[in-house]
Structures are given as structure tokens and as C-alpha cells.
Amino acid sequence: MHDLYNFVSGPLVWVAFAVFFFGCLYRLIRMLALVNQKEKFIFSYMSFKYSLRSILHWSIPFATENMRQHPVMTIVTFAFHFCLIITPLFLLAHVILWDEAWHFSWGHLPEGLTDIMTLVVVFGCFFFLIRRLRLPEVQFVTSASDYIILGIVAAPFITGFLAYHQWFNYPFFMILHIISGEIMLITIPFTRLAHMVLAPFTRAYMGSEFGGVRHARDW
Amino acid sequence: MYNRIIKFLGLILVFVLMWVPAHSQDEMTAIDNDMFLKPQRPVSVFQHDEHNETAEIEDCAQCHHLYEDGQLVEGESSEDMRCADCHEEKGIGKTPSLTQAFHLNCKMCHQEKKSGPVMCGECHVK
Amino acid sequence: MAEVATKKKTTQILDEGIERGAARLTTDQIATVVNRVLKTETGARLKTYVETCIHCGLCSEACHYYLSHDKDPRYSPVGKVKATLWEILKRKGRIDPESMKQIALIAYTECNLCKRCAMYCPFGIDIAYLILVVRRICHLLGITPQYLQDTAHSHAATMNQMWIKDDEWIDTLQWQEEEAQAEIPALRIPLEKEGADIMYSVIGPEPKFQAQLIYQTAVLMNVAGLNWTMPATPGWDNSDMAMYSGDNEIMGRIKRAHFEAATRLRVKKIVMGECGHAFRSVYDMGNRWLGWKMPPIPIVHAIEFYYNLLKEKRITVAKKYDEGVTLHDPCNVVRGGGLHEKSRYVVKAISSNFIEMHPNREHNYCCCAGGGVINCGPPYKNVRVDGNRIKAEQLFAAKSRGATTLIAPCHNCHSGLEDINHHYGLGFKIKFIGDILYEVMEKPE
């Protein structure tokens, strides 16, 4: 058990973070290189002001027409994405592990709160799953990969929740939690989870086109 | 009938008499976490004597170390002090915070020896 | 939901252009063309859009086809991308000719490229661009709807959309000049006037079927006392169906001819008639193909032109049009040019009873005629009217609040809405802004 724990919490973490950071960087560089190589004109249309205007509108709940048309989806997706990013960053146990390894620390959230936030993420995944299964327009464009990435995202939170509460087999779920978290980090750059880094750019481009050329709103 | 009751009460008395001395020695079963006003996790399980017996630790200083001016004082130990006497809630300079002191002291050794709990919930048992 | 997804489309349209095109092809040839387009013509946009789309389906309710077909997922924007582009990418271009026919039908006749979905996608994915890539592939494969292709041929051969001969064009202008002189004796339609301020350009169908629109504009120009001209050479037509058929090379040629006519006449700007797709061609797509970030010569769409005339009081209104009017916001000048507030200013200046339809401005529903769909011809008329029931509902709601006249400042919208008006029995009078402006403006006695 010690060897396994030391492996997944040591070298594998390095691997996961390295793949995540360099993978995301690679995705961005490759995208920009491709723009430079084949669609250079895009750069000339990019506007900081209109990019920001668009990104901001789409970052505020109910600030766009489509969000108002789907209030439940809007609430769930904002809560989901907020908790998805904030929970692991400010989870007490994560902060402590980081402190132990690097003697570097930042604030953390109360465990009772992160517990709820974890459930929000899990519930969000469940909601998205139900959407995929039940809504015809989503079901129609759903393939196996969509379920897989949903699972990849849900896994660290489900196992983390079980491990925190020490239900069932604690060491088993703890190890599984670490591994699933690493899988998520590793897969982000190479699956459509890459929207995490790419979506701001597609949004910014559309925002620039609508603002600078089309003189119209894109929300 | 009375005989039976007396025998039964006698038996209870014997148990009580055996039980009290066993605990009157104040054997340590958990980490001393008085310092933490609002601990987030349950107190860590720690059977002091049993631990040292299993781990075959003879030298108190192995855990109860003593530092002066950031230097480990060889041959001295600090079992007469509380960890919190040196380690405060927040780390100061090279002195780790109390939380970190506990974690580092236990966990590092466990990892080195490949024995004993290393994951959060193995000490902070709910 | 499986039920909806497998429901057969009611009619199978046999289009000569698509049928014959497909009959000539093999899967290998299709793969070759697809991969050439993907390799040489697409780049970061296509790749990023496809790899970022999270398949959430949130673009669905942006599409009038989807809304009009009882939310059939095949008509959602992403559903159409799945049936076309994803399929092409998944099979690495190895699509058999039969499937390619279906792909062409979706790309050409079930999407108007109106970009409403781009405003509904949380990531701002330009779905219309993805459909245009599919059209580009279809064009290079020679699978294009017959009517649309004929129009593109006309562009290629005559530099105008309607096979109008050079002398017919001049004749038409002189005919309208004479007609208008009956009303304003000193009126001129100045041809080839070098150094004029304005070159006025129209789409091919105006001289062909709607010459009175040129008449009206001539009156407007003369009353406002503007220094204007029209070219007597090819390049007078600002329309562009090659842009929609996927024939970018022809798009470039006709836009160059258009811009060069203006340059030759040394005008300060081009004013264009009430057309949406032509605006897209000169302001967005054609200029870019030619390497111009923005049009090389300022382009003023009719809406903005009228706005300036009224704002500067070069034209005054004698008596406002008093019937209830509602205004359709064409995609290419509103989502494509932001002219929605100016069009409202104009409509309010010329009419006394303006009734908004909902949704409006950038969120207005498409007419279902644009994007070259109406130019795919009569075989697809039902596709357009059945595919836009939601528009009929939207118009009906405006009618129930008192609107009897529908203003559509775009040729494609105009024709598409006529069909919807007729099919659903809405009973609107459909007009261009220019029709009403001409009617209500102060004219010299």
C-alpha cells in the first residue's frame, strides 16, 4: 500500500501536472501556430475590448438570451463549473498536501463547504448525464466519448467524497481518488475537456467579429 | 437467591477494580489537539505505547526532538514539553506550524519505514 | 426521442444538379477532395471548433428549422454539423456518393447561414462557417443544387446573377430614367460619371424583375440632390450566389469587378440597395477573400443611406405611412452589420404606427430564404416554408397586435417572407423601406 500510495502521490502527480500544463500549452500553441500558418487574418480581427465584452457576458449567469431561455441549465452549469475549479484548489487536504511537499500554502475553505461543493459537481455531472439521455437534441449529438469525459470529470469527485467520509474501503477509494484526479488532468488537453483552455479563444474571436465588424451583440 | 446477587455484584466490582488502574496511567490514545480551536478533522488516533512497541522505538528524541536556533540538538529530547510549546498555529520561519509538525513527524517516518498510516483518513478516522 | 430521430423526412427532392453530380463521383474521389480542402483550405477555426464543441445542444433553439420541425434534433445546428461535417471527419472523407447527396442537401437547403446559432453557442462556435466548409467541399465535388449552380454560372459568365446582357442593363436604367422623368422632369440616372460621390449598386434581380426599385432610388437621389452614378459596365451587380454555392473563386472575381468599377469611377463610397446577402459579400466574405480586412471602398447599405438622408433632412417626410408596420431584421445587415437601430430610426421616421415583432434585432428569426436557399429554386420551396413555421407564428403575433405591413429591407428576406405570408395565409403587405420612403417623402411639385 505504501509503495502504491507513494507512486500515485509522487511520480504520477508530477506526470499528471506536467501533461496537463504542457498539454494545454501545446494545444494553445498549436492553435495559434495554425492560425498564423493558415488563417492569419484572424489576428487582425481580434479586439481586446470586444473579446473581453463577450467573455464577460458569457461568464455572468443570465446575462445572455440563451441562459435566460434555459434557467435550470444555467444555474447548474455555473454552479458546476465554479465548484469544479474552486473545490480542488481550496480543499483543505489538498492545501495541506501542497504545504507538506512545497512548504507553500494558501487559504482553504471549510471542509463542510467543500463537501457540499463536491456534491454540486457530482450532481452537475448527473444532471448533464440525464440531459444527454433524455433531451432529444442532446442525445442526437451524443457519442460514447461524451459519456467517457463526463465520467472522467465525475470520478475524482465521487471518489473524493467517499474517501472524505471514509465510507466503504477508505484506502481503496483514496487511491482511486488520486488516480482519477490524475486521469482527469492528463485527459484535459487531449479530449474535448480542452474547452477549458480553448473556449475563451473561440468566444473571444466571435466576440471580436460581432463587436468590431458586425457591430452587434453576441449574447 | 441473595447469594447469587452478591456473587454478581462481586464480579462487577472485580471488573471495575481491574479497569480503573488500566486507565489511571493516562495512556495516550490520541494526538493532543487542544491547540486547535475549531479542528476540521477528528483527532488523530495515536496509541503511544503500542505504537512505540510495534515500531520498536527506544529513543524518545526520535519524535520528541529538540531544536535550538534551527539546529537539531543531538542527544536531547523534549518529551517533557508539549509540541505546541514550539509549534504554533502558524509556521514561523523554519519552524513548521503545529499541523504540519504533526503531519511531517508522523507521515515522513511512516513513508520512510513503509509502515503505518500515510493517508489523511488513516489517522483522522471518522 | 428515438422515435423523433428516425422519423422519415416526408419528401425526397430530386435535384438534377445533385443527382448528376453524385453520379459522376466515387468514394475515392470524394475522399481526395475532402482531404484536399481540409488540408489546404481549413485551419485553426475548423479544428478548434470541432475539438471544442462539447455537444451540449444549446444551439438548438437558435435555429428556425429546429423550432419549426417540432424540435426535431436533426434540424438543430449541431445536429446538422453532426450529419455533415462530423461524418466527413469521422470517415476521413470516405463518404459514398449517396451519402454525399444527403450531406449536400442539408448544407445547401437546411441552413441559411444566418449565424443566429453563433449567438447561442456558449463558446461562440461559428456553425455557419462549418456549414460553408461543407458547401465548399460540395462545390468542388460538383454536387450543387441546379438552380443555385445556374446562378453561380451566370455570375461567372456575365458578372451578374441573372444572365443580364451588358446592353440590357443600360437599357433598363435608361428606361427607368425615362419613366421617372414623367414624375421629375430633370431627373437623371447618371451612368459612368467619374468622380461622383456615390456609386449606386444593386443586385441582378432588380433590373430583371424589380426595376421600379431603381426608379425609386433614382427619385430619392435626385430629390436629395446627391452626386451619384451607376456603372455601365459589368461590376454593377453587388449580389453573389457563388459565395453560397461554395465557389469562392467566382466570389472573388465578381467582388473584384464590383470594387474595380467603383475605383474606376473614383467614387467616395458605394451605396447599395436593400439586400442582405450582397452586404455580406462586399462587407464580410468577398472582401476578405480578396485580402481586404474591411471593404476597400466604404460600403453604405440602403438602411444606413436612408438613415443619413433623414437625419440630415436631405429627405423629408410629407405624411407618415399610417398602417401598422412591423420590421423584419435581416441577418446579414443586423447580425452582420448592426444596422438594427438605424432601421428602426428610419421606420419610425416614415411610419406612425410601428409594432415590434418578437424576438427582434440580433435575435430575430431568419426568413429561411437567405444563405442561397431560395436560390436553390422551386424544388425547395416547401423546405423553406415548412422549415419556418416559427416565422409565421412570430409574424402572426405581430399581426394580432395590429401590424398589417411587413417591412423587410432585404431581397432574400422579402421573397422568402412572401412565400411564408402566402403559405400560412398571414395577409401582410410586404414592402421594402424604399417602397414606403418613396411613397411618403416630400417630392418637388
Side-chain angles (χ1 to χ4, degrees):
Chain A
M1 185 56 82
H2 278 83
D3 287 330
L4 183 58
Y5 175 79
N6 286 342
F7 177 67
V8 298
S9 67
L12 260 193
V13 176
W14 278 101
V15 171
F17 273 102
V19 171
F20 171 69
F21 280 115
F22 290 107
C24 289
L25 204 63
Y26 164 75
R27 287 302 299 264
L28 287 181
I29 291 172
R30 192 188 64 162
M31 180 183 72
L32 294 174
L34 206 54
V35 172
N36 191 47
Q37 188 194 336
K38 287 169 130 186
E39 289 164 310
K40 230 176 188 161
F41 72 92
I42 287 176
F43 291 131
S44 69
Y45 289 97
M46 291 307 284
S47 140
F48 185 71
K49 177 180 146 195
Y50 292 121
S51 296
L52 210 62
R53 183 179 83 157
S54 181
I55 290 170
L56 273 176
H57 264 97
W58 285 89
S59 307
I60 299 167
F62 297 104
T64 72
E65 179 62 30
N66 205 10
M67 290 183 201
R68 291 190 288 272
Q69 283 185 15
H70 301 91
V72 179
M73 176 65 178
T74 302
I75 291 167
V76 173
T77 195
F78 271 95
F80 166 82
H81 282 97
F82 177 81
C83 295
L84 178 68
I85 294 166
I86 298 300
T87 312
L89 284 180
F90 295 98
L91 186 89
L92 175 65
H94 290 179
V95 174
I96 283 178
L97 283 174
W98 199 271
D99 195 8
E100 285 169 19
W102 298 100
H103 304 291
F104 174 74
S105 178
W106 57 89
H108 63 84
L109 295 166
E111 293 212 294
L113 181 62
T114 45
D115 204 27
I116 293 167
M117 290 166 75
T118 305
L119 285 178
V120 169
V121 174
V122 175
F123 171 78
C125 288
F126 184 68
F127 177 84
F128 294 146
L129 177 69
I130 298 299
R131 256 188 114 245
R132 287 218 177 280
L133 292 168
R134 302 292 303 172
L135 295 188
E137 76 270 28
V138 191
Q139 211 266 337
F140 185 68
V141 292
T142 295
S143 52
S145 66
D146 294 298
Y147 295 118
I148 293 170
I149 58 175
L150 204 52
I152 287 174
V153 174
F157 289 85
I158 293 171
T159 52
F161 183 77
L162 292 177
Y164 171 67
H165 289 281
Q166 298 169 23
W167 291 341
F168 312 114
N169 185 341
Y170 171 73
F172 173 75
F173 280 109
M174 192 63 219
I175 300 280
L176 210 58
H177 168 67
I178 301 173
I179 293 174
S180 59
E182 286 155 350
I183 290 174
M184 183 173 81
L185 283 174
I186 289 168
T187 48
I188 284 173
F190 306 107
T191 60
R192 277 177 293 105
L193 293 175
H195 71 264
M196 174 182 168
V197 287
L198 298 178
F201 289 87
T202 54
R203 184 81 264 158
Y205 176 56
M206 190 45 76
S208 298
E209 284 274 0
F210 265 74
V213 180
R214 305 170 170 272
H215 310 302
R217 298 173 297 167
D218 64 331
W219 55 86
Chain B
M1 184 68 196
Y2 283 109
N3 218 2
R4 276 182 154 194
I5 293 173
I6 289 164
K7 270 185 185 169
F8 182 69
L9 287 174
L11 206 62
I12 289 175
L13 190 70
V14 171
F15 269 112
V16 169
L17 289 175
M18 282 168 75
W19 186 74
V20 171
H23 281 259
S24 60
Q25 273 185 326
D26 202 14
E27 188 182 308
M28 187 178 186
T29 57
I31 291 290
D32 167 19
N33 75 335
D34 286 354
M35 252 292 279
F36 302 113
L37 293 176
K38 277 194 247 164
Q40 297 256 358
R41 288 283 174 114
V43 60
S44 283
V45 177
F46 184 60
Q47 315 271 3
H48 182 268
D49 295 357
E50 192 189 322
H51 172 263
N52 296 350
E53 222 168 277
T54 335
E56 293 167 6
I57 295 173
E58 303 284 330
D59 180 9
C60 299
Q62 199 157 341
C63 298
H64 298 278
H65 55 227
L66 188 70
Y67 277 78
E68 257 168 33
D69 304 325
Q71 291 293 319
L72 181 68
V73 186
E74 292 288 349
E76 289 283 332
S77 64
S78 58
E79 64 269 28
D80 51 343
M81 295 164 74
R82 295 181 72 204
C83 301
D85 291 344
C86 297
H87 298 284
E88 297 186 20
E89 204 184 336
K90 289 229 158 71
I92 299 163
K94 276 192 168 176
T95 313
S97 70
L98 187 58
T99 310
Q100 221 190 350
F102 285 142
H103 289 166
L104 292 174
N105 209 354
C106 302
K107 196 178 154 183
M108 290 301 137
C109 188
H110 292 165
Q111 276 183 313
E112 222 168 85
K113 301 271 193 278
K114 294 195 176 172
S115 177
V118 286
M119 293 183 263
C120 311
E122 288 180 304
C123 291
H124 298 283
V125 179
K126 291 215 172 187
Chain C
M1 73 227 145
E3 209 177 303
V4 177
T6 54
K7 200 165 66 185
K8 285 267 180 297
K9 294 189 183 179
T10 45
T11 48
Q12 187 63 44
I13 294 158
L14 278 185
D15 186 305
E16 280 286 285
I18 287 175
E19 294 298 323
R20 288 196 189 181
R24 285 193 298 263
L25 291 168
T26 65
T27 304
D28 284 334
Q29 287 171 323
I30 293 173
T32 309
V33 169
V34 165
N35 290 312
R36 196 178 75 216
V37 171
L38 294 180
K39 191 164 184 289
T40 60
E41 296 190 20
T42 69
R45 272 187 297 174
L46 183 93
K47 210 171 175 58
T48 310
Y49 288 155
V50 170
E51 290 173 2
T52 305
C53 175
I54 202 73
H55 307 175
C56 66
L58 282 171
C59 52
S60 305
E61 268 132 27
C63 186
H64 48 286
Y65 278 102
Y66 172 79
L67 294 171
S68 302
H69 285 286
D70 300 318
K71 304 196 172 185
D72 183 337
R74 287 172 308 170
Y75 288 101
S76 81
V78 64
K80 287 178 268 193
V81 173
K82 174 200 158 92
T84 57
L85 188 66
W86 291 359
E87 203 57 30
I88 290 172
L89 294 174
K90 194 172 87 187
R91 297 203 223 155
K92 298 193 162 53
R94 296 200 61 78
I95 305 277
D96 60 87
E98 201 54 40
S99 309
M100 203 64 213
K101 274 162 40 179
Q102 291 310 313
I103 288 175
L105 282 177
I106 293 171
Y108 282 112
T109 70
E110 292 175 8
C111 171
N112 300 93
L113 310 173
C114 77
K115 295 211 190 207
R116 194 170 188 259
C117 47
M119 297 172 58
Y120 283 70
C121 171
F123 300 160
I125 292 173
D126 189 350
I127 297 162
Y129 163 74
L130 299 177
I131 296 292
L132 268 171
V133 171
V134 177
R135 289 195 186 184
R136 173 69 176 164
I137 290 168
C138 292
H139 158 72
L140 291 171
L141 287 169
I143 313 189
T144 42
Q146 169 121 317
Y147 278 83
L148 183 66
Q149 189 56 51
D150 177 75
T151 317
H153 286 327
S154 170
H155 278 303
T158 66
M159 294 285 122
N160 71 67
Q161 199 198 115
M162 291 274 133
W163 299 103
I164 294 167
K165 294 180 186 128
D166 293 353
D167 58 337
E168 288 174 352
W169 162 246
I170 298 167
D171 272 358
T172 306
L173 294 181
Q174 289 182 338
W175 163 46
Q176 288 308 310
E177 185 181 60
E178 278 172 32
E179 292 278 317
Q181 278 168 352
E183 191 176 5
I184 302 173
L187 182 141
R188 290 299 313 273
I189 297 180
L191 291 187
E192 289 295 312
K193 183 178 172 187
E194 279 192 29
D197 294 336
I198 293 166
M199 177 178 104
Y200 184 64
S201 68
V202 295
I203 63 166
E206 288 203 20
K208 192 86 175 177
F209 315 116
Q210 296 158 298
Q212 83 280 4
L213 294 174
I214 297 173
Y215 174 117
Q216 288 169 3
T217 302
V219 170
L220 207 65
M221 292 277 185
N222 278 272
V223 172
L226 298 170
N227 183 10
W228 70 299
T229 184
M230 291 181 88
T233 59
W236 56 264
D237 182 2
N238 54 27
S239 76
D240 185 357
M241 279 302 138
M243 166 176 77
Y244 286 148
S245 76
D247 195 343
N248 296 342
E249 289 77 9
I250 297 299
M251 168 177 76
R253 278 181 58 208
I254 55 183
K255 284 312 107 173
R256 171 169 288 133
H258 185 58
F259 291 136
E260 282 180 354
T263 315
R264 181 171 51 75
L265 293 170
R266 294 187 286 110
V267 294
K268 296 194 179 75
K269 59 189 168 195
I270 297 172
V271 170
M272 53 186 294
E274 288 178 58
C275 183
H277 93 274
F279 184 75
R280 183 193 195 119
S281 175
V282 291
Y283 183 75
D284 178 2
M285 290 179 64
N287 55 313
R288 293 187 190 196
W289 177 265
L290 293 173
W292 292 90
K293 182 182 171 187
M294 295 306 269
I297 293 162
I299 299 284
V300 180
H301 187 268
I303 291 173
E304 195 179 0
F305 177 61
Y306 303 149
Y307 170 83
N308 291 334
L309 290 183
L310 290 164
K311 191 105 184 166
E312 292 161 12
K313 301 212 185 318
R314 284 175 173 274
I315 294 285
T316 48
V317 174
K319 185 181 178 298
K320 283 189 180 183
Y321 186 78
D322 57 6
E323 285 188 41
V325 298
T326 187
L327 173 69
H328 170 81
D329 289 292
C331 65
N332 286 319
V333 296
V334 171
R335 271 192 289 285
L339 296 180
H340 40 287
E341 296 309 335
K342 287 181 177 166
S343 63
R344 276 164 181 73
Y345 177 91
V346 172
V347 168
K348 283 173 187 165
I350 59 175
S351 70
S352 54
N353 186 10
F354 173 54
I355 293 148
E356 283 280 10
M357 63 174 81
H358 296 279
N360 54 48
R361 296 179 168 83
E362 291 100 328
H363 289 276
N364 182 38
Y365 291 127
C366 174
C367 63
C368 209
V373 177
I374 196 168
N375 303 74
C376 293
Y380 303 97
K381 186 177 167 186
N382 288 335
V383 173
R384 283 189 288 112
V385 291
D386 293 339
N388 212 359
R389 198 184 65 212
I390 191 78
K391 187 83 216 174
E393 289 166 10
Q394 180 197 22
L395 293 176
F396 186 77
K399 190 185 174 179
S400 66
R401 290 186 294 115
T404 54
T405 299
L406 168 59
I407 298 180
C410 164
H411 278 276
N412 277 333
C413 295
H414 211 89
S415 314
L417 293 173
E418 285 285 9
D419 290 335
I420 286 165
N421 195 35
H422 182 252
H423 181 83
Y424 293 97
L426 295 171
F428 273 106
K429 276 179 265 182
I430 305 183
K431 290 181 184 284
F432 289 102
I433 294 177
D435 292 332
I436 299 177
L437 184 58
Y438 167 76
E439 199 180 313
V440 302
M441 69 189 268
E442 198 100 52
K443 293 186 211 77
E445 289 301 318

